[in-house]
Each structure stands twice: as structure tokens, then as C-alpha cells.
Amino acid sequence: MKIDNNVSEIEKMSAAELDQKNSRRDALKQATNIGGKIALTALPLFLSGLFTKAKAGPPPPPPTTSEVLTVLNFALTLEYLESGFYQTAVAAGASLIPSAVDRTAIGVIATHEMEHVNFLKSVIVSLGGTPVALPTFDYTAGSGSGAGPFADVFTNYQTFLAVAQTFEDTGVRAYKGQAPNLVQGGAYLTAALNIHSVEARHASHIRQMRYNNGFADVKPWITLNQSGINSTAVQPSYNGEDNTVQAGIQIVNINGTGISADAASEAFDEPLTTAQVLDIVTPFFA
Amino acid sequence: MKSNNSPEKTISLEKREDDFQPSRRKFLGYAGATGLIAVGLASCSKILEQFPESGNGKGNPQPVNLGSGDTGILNYAYALEQLEAAFYTIVVASPYFGINALEFSRLKDIRDHEISHREFFKDALGTSAIPQLVLDFSAVNFTSRTSVLATAKAFEDLGVSAYNGAGSLIVSADYLTLAGKIVSVEARHAAFIRDLISYGSFADSTVLDSNGLDTSRTPAQVLPLAGAFIKNTINASGLPTS
């Protein structure tokens, strides 16, 4: 089933409804605050009970309107960044992207990012919020100097693809990091997840484009914390991706399967916090 | 897999063995050599004997109840990962005709990712885990690149939509994050497999809507599709629906 009516579904959950759940959430938060913290701390130690404990206790209330808006405007900011990036590339055309096949793919991705921008704006408005304004970007990562580490981003195709890969991989991690803020968030969470997986599809394809453009070590998935990009500027987007322990379970050679550290790290993409994402993207803001 | 209230489907084991005779020997040979294939063709009675809990070897494996709440959702994910892992295990053990080195290397990676997911859920669920499912890949021609990649594409797109649709049913933020860590890898697989079939189809309009959003499916939508490859009756009646 394709969700082609997300906005209307979301609109069904009125602001009043959310506010009602809001007060319930606050009361519940206070009541369970201490217990919740203890349970979280103990989580890795009691794995056998990990998935059965969840049944106990009432489900958490959905996020408040304000919490949803915060996530959506954060997402919109990242989509602005990506959308503007690809629009510039599409406008540059063959002068930047030599092959017609690649130009088509970048055009496809550009369209998706623009659709994400418009979708997020419409949802924000439907919730009574105000979409954040379109920022001015410096895609050289020079904080407005136009002379950052990616100074030739729109004249050197390899640089362009490297930045594209970093944006997509970072986008995947950023959406993933926001998901817990939308837990039990119904259509809002589903919409965010439906964007998240598209960013991952983009990342996979951009990585294949880099493979086809001379980077034989770059796979569609992220191996350890390797960027496959010859620039330390992108490393924060890959730090932590080498994690091989999930919910306290070591994936390397799990149950004697011989799974390597490379594969164990590739099998799980890692989230980034809001602060980590902001640190990564700040140099791209003029 | 049959839906919970559908009449029991009877499958003749003898007929299935006939259907599988040419590939079965090869399959068993690989299974013995690698020791990795634990599930697969229901007609492999030798394998079933090693895993009696998987079924009675007569084509009527035990019904499986996914359970309720987050445990139920995680068992649902575990079932899908069992399906994917077993599929790619066969793909790598008996590659299709004309496979090239890059394709083989990537499919081996994907196999290892899916095994990682499967084993993770198995360990994490512990005593709450559903048993090993009895799977049926008789619809797949493992010697054919077209058949294998079409199946892989279906599994990966289905997996992405399943995780996307399950997210809102999960109560725990920690489990939601875990599902998120896996779904983006499935989406990377989906895009890669799609590009192998038709380069540039990584996120086409068959999976994306006009808002640039991927597909999501409820368990009730996913299970009948996955069920074509699962012989156990799956009881999903305890799963949350909202």
C-alpha cells in the first residue's frame, strides 16, 4: 500500500486532540520519570527480559504538537540543504555531471528532496506551525566564505558526489536519531520513516555512482566508520558507524555464524543526535 | 503461511519432492558443506529431522504465534529476517548462471547482513522468540539471475515497507531505534538490487508516492505476501494494529 494521503491522515489528528494527549503525557512523564530512568540504565544487563518488559505498563502517549513540529522543522532544514544542493547540480548540468545516466539519477533525487521540502512544509502548516525559513547555504562547507574544504563542489564531479554521499548518509542517521522523539506518533512517525528509507535508497545509489566513478572500495552500505572520501571534514558523519554491539548483543560472529566486523557494522546504520547533526551541517550554512 | 482463519492448505510432500528433484541434491550438498542452511525447502526431510521443532516433516509445520505488543512486532521482524537470510544463503551457496564477481560479493554482504539481523532478533527475543520457520522457495529458480533478483527486489521492498509500517506500532523508543537501524540497511539493499535489475530504478514511482515518501505496509498487508514463502501458519492476531 502506498501512503499517498499522509497529509490528510495527519490532519485528522487535530491540534486539540494532540493537546489533550499532551497533558496526559506530562502527568505520565512525571509519574514514571524515576522508574523509567532506572529501567533504561539496566537495559543492557537484562537482555533476556528486554523484549518482554515492554508489555508491562501503559503505552507512552504520543508526542505533543510542539514536539512533532520541532522534529519536522529540523527535518525541513536538512531537506532544504539537500534540495538546494541537488537543484544547483541539476542547473549546472553536463558541466558538472558528465554522464547522462548520472544526470538523470541526480535529477530524480533532486525531485524527491523538493517533494520532501513541500511535504514537510504542508504538514507543519497543517499543524498550525510555521515552517522555518529557507537558509542561505555554502556548499563548500565554508560557513559563508565560499572557500571551505569542498571549494570545487560544483565544478569537480568527484567532490560533488562525495558531498552528496555525505549528505545522504547523514540524512539517514539524522532521521533515525529523531524517530524516538516521534515514538507512538502515528502518521507523523510513519511519514518520517517513509522519508528515512528514501534517503537510504538515495545513499545506496550515490554510493554506487561513486563506485562507478573510480572508488572501488565504496559499497552501497557503510563499512565500519569508513567514508571512502579523502577528507577529514566528513568524518563526523561516519563516526560511530563502526558499532557492532546492538542492545548489548555482539553481532560479530553471533551464534557462531562467522559474521565479520565489517558485515556486523554494515548491517545496522547508526543514529545521530540533533546536536551531532547540527555540528556536521553548520559549516554548510552561510 | 496461511492466514489465521483460512482453511488448512494441504501439500503433498511426494509431489514437492518430484518438483525439487534436480535442485534438491545440489541444495543439500551445499547445505551439508556449509552447515549454514538451517531452514529452506520443506521437502528436505533430512534437514527437518535435524530441527524437529520446525515441523513434523509431513508438510504441516507447527503453527506459530507471533505474540503481542512489542514482542509480537519483533517476532514479526524476526520472521521476515528468517525469510531473507535463508533466501540469500541459498543464493550465495548456489549462485545463478552468469553472476559476476561484484554481484556475488554484494549478495554475500547482503546475506551476512540478513543473518546478522536474524540472529540478533533470535538472541534478543530469547525465550519469547518464535521457532525456526519452515520456508518454501519453490517459486524461485535459483539458477536464473532474473528470478533471483526479482525475488530479492520483492523481499527488500517488502522488508522496507514492513519496517516502515511497524514503526508506529512499537511502544519502546529503544526498539523503534533498533528497527530504524535495520530498515535503512534494507533500503540500501533494495536500491542496490533494483539498480542491478535496472540501473536508476533505486527509488522509482512503484515504491514512492508523489510526496517522495516510501511505501509502508501493515503486518496484515505484509504477512500474506511473505506467507507465500512460509509453510507455517502464522497467528498474528496478537499484534497491535495502531
Side-chain angles (χ1 to χ4, degrees), chain B residues 90-136:
Chain B
I90 300 172
V91 169
V92 171
S94 53
Y96 50 76
F97 290 131
I99 195 167
N100 66 34
L102 177 68
E103 290 173 2
F104 183 76
S105 168
R106 295 286 187 263
L107 289 168
K108 196 163 163 290
D109 277 4
I110 296 176
R111 175 200 68 182
D112 287 353
H113 303 163
E114 306 299 5
I115 289 174
S116 298
H117 297 162
R118 180 188 68 197
E119 297 300 311
F120 166 74
F121 281 119
K122 182 183 176 186
D123 286 10
L125 282 156
T127 54
S128 300
I130 56 169
Q132 210 157 39
L133 298 172
V134 180
L135 304 175
D136 175 4

Side-chain angles (χ1 to χ4, degrees), chain B residues 2-230:
Chain B
K2 286 130 282 188
S3 75
N4 200 22
N5 52 1
S6 69
E8 189 78 356
K9 194 169 76 180
T10 52
I11 295 168
S12 157
L13 184 63
E14 288 70 30
K15 174 67 169 57
R16 298 186 57 78
E17 293 227 357
D18 288 340
D19 289 346
F20 271 102
Q21 210 54 53
S23 59
R24 180 171 171 265
R25 182 172 300 162
K26 189 179 179 189
F27 171 72
L28 282 174
Y30 279 116
T34 63
L36 278 174
I37 300 177
V39 293
L41 309 179
S43 55
C44 297
S45 55
K46 279 182 186 172
I47 288 179
L48 281 178
E49 281 163 19
Q50 292 166 21
F51 300 96
E53 74 280 8
S54 294
N56 59 15
K58 305 284 186 199
N60 292 314
Q62 71 177 73
V64 168
N65 191 330
L66 297 178
S68 61
D70 281 357
T71 302
I73 295 296
L74 292 161
N75 264 325
Y76 166 60
Y78 178 39
L80 297 177
E81 297 294 351
Q82 286 192 43
L83 182 61
E84 288 190 304
F87 169 72
Y88 287 108
T89 296
I90 300 172
V91 169
V92 171
S94 53
Y96 50 76
F97 290 131
I99 195 167
N100 66 34
L102 177 68
E103 290 173 2
F104 183 76
S105 168
R106 295 286 187 263
L107 289 168
K108 196 163 163 290
D109 277 4
I110 296 176
R111 175 200 68 182
D112 287 353
H113 303 163
E114 306 299 5
I115 289 174
S116 298
H117 297 162
R118 180 188 68 197
E119 297 300 311
F120 166 74
F121 281 119
K122 182 183 176 186
D123 286 10
L125 282 156
T127 54
S128 300
I130 56 169
Q132 210 157 39
L133 298 172
V134 180
L135 304 175
D136 175 4
F137 293 112
S138 58
V140 185
N141 177 0
F142 284 96
T143 65
S144 157
R145 183 181 189 270
T146 303
S147 175
V148 167
L149 294 184
T151 308
K153 174 184 163 186
F155 282 172
E156 297 295 350
D157 282 340
L158 184 66
V160 170
S161 69
Y163 279 103
N164 281 351
S168 68
L169 307 178
I170 296 175
V171 170
S172 154
D174 294 312
Y175 311 153
L176 178 60
T177 298
L178 278 165
K181 289 179 177 207
I182 292 174
V183 66
S184 56
V185 175
E186 303 293 351
R188 290 173 188 272
H189 294 167
F192 172 72
I193 297 288
R194 289 173 144 267
D195 281 339
L196 277 188
I197 295 169
S198 173
Y199 192 72
S201 67
F202 54 98
D204 67 19
S205 60
T206 62
V207 279
L208 265 61
D209 69 12
S210 59
N211 288 317
L213 305 191
D214 215 325
T215 307
S216 51
R217 286 187 178 91
T218 64
Q221 292 168 321
V222 169
L223 285 170
L225 298 172
F229 301 91
I230 300 173

Side-chain angles (χ1 to χ4, degrees), chain A residues 3 50-51 116 205 255 266-267, chain B residues 71 117 119 175 195 209 212:
Chain A
I3 304 286
L50 187 68
F51 291 153
H116 294 166
H205 190 74
N255 296 332
E266 291 163 358
Chain B
T71 302
H117 297 162
E119 297 300 311
Y175 311 153
D195 281 339
D209 69 12

Side-chain angles (χ1 to χ4, degrees), chain A residues 196-243:
Chain A
H196 170 244
S197 59
V198 171
E199 301 297 339
R201 288 176 186 269
H202 292 170
S204 176
H205 190 74
I206 295 280
R207 288 172 153 271
Q208 290 178 71
M209 290 167 74
R210 292 197 70 233
Y211 175 90
N212 293 332
N213 278 275
F215 291 88
D217 293 337
V218 175
K219 299 175 178 182
W221 25 90
I222 303 171
T223 308
L224 301 172
N225 65 354
Q226 297 163 5
S227 67
I229 295 167
N230 187 23
S231 166
T232 54
V234 305
Q235 195 53 44
S237 292
Y238 295 91
N239 288 340
E241 279 286 2
D242 51 348
N243 179 34

Side-chain angles (χ1 to χ4, degrees), chain A residues 138-189:
Chain A
D138 174 0
Y139 290 110
T140 74
S143 299
S145 71
F150 311 114
D152 58 355
V153 63
F154 291 123
T155 52
N156 180 331
Y157 188 47
Q158 301 291 13
T159 306
F160 169 78
L161 284 181
V163 175
Q165 180 195 302
T166 307
F167 280 170
E168 297 295 349
D169 285 336
T170 304
V172 171
R173 301 188 69 180
Y175 272 96
K176 204 185 316 295
Q178 294 302 312
N181 295 331
L182 294 178
V183 68
Q184 291 287 287
Y188 305 107
L189 172 62

